[in-house]
Amino acid sequence: MSLAKNPFIILPLDIKNQQIHLPVLEEKKVELFIKREDLIHPFVSGNKFRKLKYNIQEAENQNKKVLLTFGGAFSNHILATAVAGNLSGYKTIGIIRGDELGNDLEKTLVNNSTLREAHKNGMTFEFVSRAIYRNKSDVEFKNQLKEKFGDFYLIPEGGTNDFAIKGCEEILTNDDVNFDYICTAVGTGGTISGLINASDNHQKIIGFPALKGEFLVDEINQFVQKKNWNLQTNYHFGGYAKYNDALIQFINNFKKETDVLLDPVYTGKMLFGILDLVDKNQFAKNTKILAIHTGGIQGIEGFNQKLKRKGQQIIQ
Ligand SMILES: *Cc1c(COP(=O)(O)O)cnc(C)c1O
């Protein structure tokens, strides 16, 4: 398929910055806008589209027919790769953490909407133990995968590599130069790296890690030269996919008051952090903040299964 016709690469993008009105923003005279990257596609949303775009182009350049990548059982990246691959005519293989999930695939698919949707889009799964998954970068493991699946284009866990960062540099447009701060959630650090590279020198980029990630600063410094950024490490809520009642309540209130739905793993934590910093007078009057909605909405269904046992839910 020629690039110009690839329905994935030419997904129509009309991303808007939506102003958020909340009492705390009025009181502190801070303007907050959200870049609605979550609306790019229901399953290839936000930064996962940005990260896959040039990787798929590169797979095409290398004449590959198969995309192989890694992720957890609720991974936004796994589902995005499955759907993007399907749209672009690639076979996809997902190496999934948790060998117990492979014991009864039918049951796994009934219980897990992320994997169910990926499966519908033709993804082949290889479920591996946590120990093997931890060593997934080993040459030996890669060779085993080559033996089993033949030739493939490998996309790393979370999708982060040089091609991904090039894609994330396209999140910011010329109009965004008026913002004083650009905020994003951080997982592997690929998205924030693209934002830093694309930022203007007067702008500051703030990352909100979704996990306890002491390694993230070094990781990001591999991809960026500029120094106009920092990480706010107090808003991970205990670690990756960890949460508390306050976070769930915040996400539900935010939806009620702004009509913007946030995911509990990444964007909910970021917005909680931004508004907490506003409340604590960390932004001067008349500051303009742009927060990137990196997507992740598909993960709410799986998260709600966990919450249901405690009588809670995120209202979509
Ligand atoms: C994957 C993901 C992130 C993290 O992006 P990185 O580039 O890995 O830092 C943030 N938000 C959402 C919704 C994601 O799915």
Side-chain angles (χ1 to χ4, degrees):
M1 185 185 313
S2 84
L3 280 182
K5 291 200 185 116
N6 184 320
F8 171 66
I9 291 183
I10 59 167
L11 272 183
L13 300 185
D14 178 24
I15 312 299
K16 299 215 163 51
N17 294 338
Q18 175 179 344
Q19 184 162 15
I20 298 301
H21 298 284
L22 289 169
V24 67
L25 296 166
E26 308 288 319
E27 184 199 327
K28 306 288 182 182
K29 302 261 180 302
V30 170
E31 282 184 40
L32 173 64
F33 289 74
I34 295 187
K35 190 177 281 294
R36 297 299 305 273
E37 297 260 313
D38 54 312
L39 301 178
I40 290 177
H41 187 280
F43 300 129
V44 200
S45 67
N47 64 349
K48 298 308 184 282
F49 167 77
R50 303 291 181 179
K51 293 168 120 184
L52 285 167
K53 178 179 166 186
Y54 288 107
N55 272 296
I56 288 186
Q57 189 161 318
E58 178 62 14
E60 214 141 306
N61 291 342
Q62 293 182 17
N63 227 338
K64 304 277 187 183
K65 305 286 177 243
V66 179
L67 307 175
L68 180 143
T69 195
F70 307 88
F74 297 97
S75 163
N76 296 328
H77 169 67
I78 282 289
L79 178 52
T81 303
V83 175
N86 194 13
L87 283 170
S88 321
Y90 284 90
K91 237 178 90 60
T92 55
I93 297 164
I95 312 300
I96 311 293
R97 182 177 54 229
D99 48 353
E100 74 284 357
L101 296 166
N103 294 341
D104 185 347
L105 181 62
E106 225 164 278
K107 187 169 155 219
T108 295
L109 296 182
V110 167
N111 291 326
N112 184 316
S113 56
T114 302
L115 295 180
R116 185 165 64 241
E117 200 61 47
H119 181 77
K120 261 197 229 162
N121 279 274
M123 182 174 257
T124 301
F125 299 125
E126 174 83 352
F127 297 97
V128 301
S129 70
R130 279 154 184 81
I132 290 177
Y133 191 87
R134 219 172 292 125
N135 298 321
K136 62 189 171 302
S137 308
D138 290 359
V139 179
E140 202 186 321
F141 183 53
K142 258 182 226 163
N143 287 341
Q144 280 173 18
L145 291 174
K146 286 237 153 93
E147 243 166 64
K148 179 150 188 185
F149 296 111
D151 190 37
F152 52 74
Y153 181 84
L154 188 144
I155 305 172
E157 184 184 35
T160 292
N161 58 14
D162 288 340
F163 294 110
I165 286 160
K166 181 177 171 195
C168 290
E169 289 171 5
E170 295 178 354
I171 294 171
L172 292 180
T173 69
N174 291 339
D175 291 344
D176 298 329
V177 75
N178 296 323
F179 288 98
D180 304 299
Y181 289 88
I182 315 286
C183 297
T184 186
V186 176
T188 62
T191 304
I192 193 172
S193 296
L195 292 170
I196 294 165
N197 290 342
S199 69
D200 201 76
N201 287 333
H202 79 273
Q203 297 179 307
K204 230 180 167 141
I205 318 301
I206 310 180
F208 294 80
L211 64 165
K212 292 189 207 168
E214 309 304 334
F215 58 91
L216 278 169
V217 170
D218 294 339
E219 200 70 20
I220 294 165
N221 271 323
Q222 289 179 18
F223 294 112
V224 307
Q225 248 95 57
K226 301 164 78 121
K227 302 282 175 221
N228 58 337
W229 60 280
N230 67 62
L231 299 181
Q232 290 290 334
T233 54
N234 291 328
Y235 300 104
H236 56 62
F237 288 81
Y240 186 76
K242 297 279 194 320
Y243 67 97
N244 63 18
D245 294 353
L247 179 65
I248 304 307
Q249 211 169 59
F250 170 78
I251 289 170
N252 284 331
N253 282 340
F254 195 85
K255 172 76 164 66
K256 232 186 275 165
E257 291 174 47
T258 69
D259 209 29
V260 178
L261 180 59
L262 304 171
D263 83 292
V265 179
Y266 294 104
T267 56
K269 293 179 179 180
M270 168 188 66
L271 256 314
F272 186 103
I274 293 170
L275 291 172
D276 190 51
L277 293 174
V278 170
D279 190 50
K280 290 174 173 157
N281 302 310
Q282 296 300 302
F283 296 104
K285 258 186 205 165
N286 301 318
T287 297
K288 285 186 78 171
I289 304 172
L290 178 64
I292 313 299
H293 196 320
T294 41
I297 296 307
Q298 72 83 23
I300 293 176
E301 194 175 330
F303 212 88
N304 271 343
Q305 287 192 341
K306 230 171 21 174
L307 289 176
K308 203 156 72 181
R309 288 175 228 139
K310 298 173 61 186
Q312 296 176 314
Q313 69 163 324
I314 293 166
I315 297 153
Q316 305 211 46

